[in-house]
């Protein structure tokens, strides 16, 4: 599978909570981390999602917010991955920041260059990637 999405995680569906319009899909990564995704009930049905299914969680880099440190305050984004900045590539408007999450996993965010500078997001800095459950796209292998 090839996509333009920078962040792709292989997961196992661990729980599905059915709703009238949307379904919440709990996903387990191989390293024990958890993701929460919200997709339409219709999509979950059309894909035949069930507990135990192997899926890919796709998150666009522009959907990932960054917070300095590894213990974010109270925020509504239920997906929070602490890590260490392993790479930074600056453009005139935006910066691409990659966090090493450990166990061979990484996540990339695109933020404004001004934000990257003001937050001190340089290689070696500790940061947390935050993203909403509704910003995860689920794909079948």
């Amino acid at each position: 599978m090839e996509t333009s999405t920078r962040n792709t995680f292989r997961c196992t569906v661990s729980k599905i909570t059915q709703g009238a319009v949307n379904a919440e899909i709990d996903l387990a990564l191989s390293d024990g981390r958890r993701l929460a995704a919200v997709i339409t009930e219709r999509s979950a049905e059309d894909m035949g999602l069930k507990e135990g299914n192997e899926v890919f969680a796709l998150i666009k880099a522009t959907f990932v917010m960054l917070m300095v440190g590894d213990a974010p305050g109270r925020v509504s984004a239920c997906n929070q991955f602490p890590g260490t900045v392993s790479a930074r590539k600056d453009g005139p408007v935006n910066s691409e920041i990659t966090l090493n999450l450990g166990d061979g996993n990484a996540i990339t965010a695109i933020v404004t260059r001004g934000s990257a500078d003001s937050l001190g997001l340089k290689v070696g800095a500790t940061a947390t990637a935050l993203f909403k459950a509704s910003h995860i796209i689920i794909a079948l292998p």
Side-chain angles (χ1 to χ4, degrees):
M1 175 178 75
E2 289 186 44
T3 71
S4 63
T5 305
R6 294 296 312 263
N7 302 299
T8 303
F9 297 95
R10 187 174 200 103
C11 307
T12 302
V13 175
S14 57
K15 181 180 174 188
I16 299 174
T17 303
Q18 310 272 337
V21 175
N22 290 323
E24 182 176 45
I25 314 297
D26 292 333
L27 304 167
L29 282 74
S30 61
D31 66 1
R33 293 178 200 261
R34 297 272 198 228
L35 285 173
V38 172
I39 64 173
T40 64
E41 184 70 30
R42 171 98 186 247
S43 292
E45 183 180 310
D46 288 350
M47 295 174 77
L49 291 182
K50 295 181 178 78
E51 290 181 18
N53 283 146
E54 294 273 323
V55 298
F56 290 102
L58 311 171
I59 306 108
K60 289 177 57 84
T62 54
F63 290 166
V64 179
M65 297 174 287
L66 295 174
M67 186 175 199
V68 175
D70 61 0
R74 294 175 54 169
V75 296
S76 64
C78 57
N79 296 299
Q80 303 177 14
F81 285 2
T84 303
V85 176
S86 60
R88 175 175 168 169
K89 181 178 178 182
D90 292 323
V93 176
N94 290 324
S95 294
E96 178 183 83
I97 310 292
T98 301
L99 296 184
N100 177 347
L101 303 175
D103 295 321
N105 290 313
I107 191 164
T108 299
I110 302 291
V111 300
T112 64
R113 181 152 182 197
S115 291
D117 288 342
S118 69
L119 292 172
L121 294 171
K122 58 186 177 188
V123 173
T126 301
T128 299
L130 309 159
F131 49 97
K132 295 171 57 171
S134 59
H135 284 171
I136 296 177
I137 299 163
I138 294 179
L140 294 172

